Amino acid sequence: MEYRGWRRSVRRRASPSLSLALVATTLPGGVAERETAAGPSEPGTMAFPGAPGDLAFTSNRGGRSKIYRMRSDGSGATLLSDSASDSLPAWSADATQLLFVSYRDGDSEIWRMNAAGQRVAQLTDNNVEDFEPAWYPGDRAFVFRSRRSDNPDIWRQNLTENGASDGDPTQLTTNPYLDIAPSVSPNGKCLVFASNRDGDDDLYTIRANAPEGPKNRAVRVTRNNVDDHDPDWSPNGRKIAYSSGPSGNPDIFVINADGTRPRNLTKHPAADIDPSWSPSGKQIAFERNGGGITRDIFRMRADGTRQVNVTDNGFTDANVLWQPMPD
């Protein structure tokens, strides 16, 4: 069964019109320390408007889905992409580039642009769906979800110094079930993703730089009877925000990186998904759907208090991702 929606997972599978979208025992490799990002690579060196800390998101406010950026209070919305069905933006660690998904060549592929919406380049090219890109620290590789193996799995693509794809991607997960929604820890050592390999969707971790196998077994990190999705590591790598709950009413949760103390932050009758930490780790942006055809972006304190509607315009605004502060 595949969940139809506007997120970054197979269960929330993208469509040509709109594409939408976490952890438990011991994490392999450790996650507490934060690596320093490399200097900006050539594709992202152009100056970009606004201060670091903006929100990138997908919206249909101009018709078909496009990628925008705005300030964290919802002001200053600027169109970044102007092609057919672009979605799922992912900021680089140096805050100068965005990965995104686009149908501009006929099917869903991973593309890159700088933070001003310029220097657009295609990074994947095949006849299957590639979705859900997420950078590694240092911005010289990214993970994504693909059906290249006839099954949704997580893959890694290395990049050259100039930001082009460097060789063929490497398959990281090999389980015959759905492996989706990858996120790399701030130190680059651990990959968390959602999978239904044990029934419902739970969160799993593996070491981020090697394929799954006897020496890199996936560790199940959440255990419940509802679906867990949309992981996002806190800037210090000590916590993970994620969505959890029945398909019609998930909430935003935060859990310690060792799998202890899961906490429901939103406790709202609407569907709350797709959390993204602020650069300081003091706030979380997320998406809320009150049951209609529109979706809005909210932000709140990291303890769940002061939930503020950032967009409220009758359109669908989703896939929010907070721009990091460059080191």
Side-chain angles (χ1 to χ4, degrees):
M1 179 181 72
E2 292 193 358
Y3 183 102
R4 303 274 182 166
W6 206 32
R7 254 297 296 164
R8 52 187 181 199
S9 72
V10 163
R11 288 187 173 281
R12 298 178 174 90
R13 188 172 66 179
S15 67
S17 59
L18 290 176
S19 166
L20 273 169
L22 86 199
V23 11
T25 55
T26 303
L27 298 178
V31 296
E33 64 271 30
R34 179 176 175 83
E35 288 187 348
T36 300
S41 58
E42 188 272 343
T45 55
M46 182 176 293
F48 53 88
D54 280 1
L55 302 176
F57 64 103
T58 306
S59 179
N60 66 352
R61 60 183 65 187
R64 302 184 72 178
S65 65
K66 310 290 183 185
I67 294 171
Y68 292 75
R69 64 180 294 169
M70 64 182 174
R71 300 182 185 93
S72 60
D73 63 2
S75 64
T78 302
L79 178 66
L80 295 184
S81 72
D82 193 17
S83 185
S85 300
D86 297 337
S87 62
L88 296 166
W91 287 107
S92 61
D94 68 8
T96 68
Q97 301 178 69
L98 287 158
L99 297 173
F100 64 101
V101 173
S102 180
Y103 285 84
R104 61 185 69 195
D105 80 336
D107 66 349
S108 60
E109 304 288 355
I110 310 300
W111 293 65
R112 185 201 69 230
M113 61 182 168
N114 71 11
Q118 301 167 337
R119 293 189 176 181
V120 178
Q122 186 172 355
L123 297 179
T124 66
D125 187 9
N126 58 82
N127 59 1
V128 298
E129 296 178 339
D130 294 335
F131 281 115
E132 303 177 323
W135 292 91
Y136 279 78
D139 304 331
R140 291 292 299 273
F142 64 91
V143 289
F144 63 103
R145 181 258 295 170
S146 181
R147 288 183 176 271
R148 294 165 188 248
S149 60
D150 296 324
N151 183 71
D153 281 303
I154 309 303
W155 295 68
R156 172 190 170 118
Q157 177 66 61
N158 291 333
L159 299 174
T160 66
E161 184 177 352
N162 292 328
S165 293
D166 186 4
D168 294 329
T170 300
Q171 186 175 353
L172 296 183
T173 65
T174 56
N175 193 279
Y177 293 91
L178 306 181
D179 296 332
I180 58 179
S183 180
V184 183
S185 64
N187 66 6
K189 295 181 179 181
C190 188
L191 175 69
V192 62
F193 60 96
S195 179
N196 66 348
R197 57 182 67 189
D198 286 302
D200 59 4
D201 289 357
D202 283 299
L203 304 184
Y204 293 77
T205 58
I206 58 172
R207 294 197 309 275
N209 296 310
E212 181 180 6
K215 295 184 179 180
N216 188 19
R217 296 187 183 277
V219 177
R220 187 178 179 181
V221 294
T222 61
R223 297 174 181 271
N224 52 63
N225 58 0
V226 296
D227 288 337
D228 300 328
H229 283 286
D230 313 336
D232 190 56
W233 296 92
S234 65
N236 63 12
R238 297 190 181 103
K239 298 179 182 179
I240 294 175
Y242 63 106
S243 66
S244 181
S247 60
N249 185 29
D251 285 311
I252 304 301
F253 281 68
V254 166
I255 195 169
N256 291 340
D258 63 0
T260 60
R261 296 188 64 201
R263 286 152 286 165
N264 187 338
L265 299 186
T266 54
K267 300 178 182 178
H268 196 276
D272 296 332
I273 61 172
D274 206 2
S276 176
W277 292 87
S278 69
S280 68
K282 295 180 179 180
Q283 297 186 75
I284 296 172
F286 63 98
E287 171 193 336
R288 174 167 289 169
N289 180 1
I293 61 173
T294 64
R295 295 176 170 92
D296 287 316
I297 293 170
F298 281 68
R299 74 173 193 270
M300 61 183 171
R301 288 180 174 176
D303 61 3
T305 60
R306 295 200 178 181
Q307 297 177 23
V308 177
N309 190 342
V310 176
T311 63
D312 185 11
N313 51 30
F315 295 104
T316 296
D317 298 326
N319 305 151
V320 61
L321 197 67
W322 217 308
Q323 183 185 24
M325 295 290 189
D327 293 317

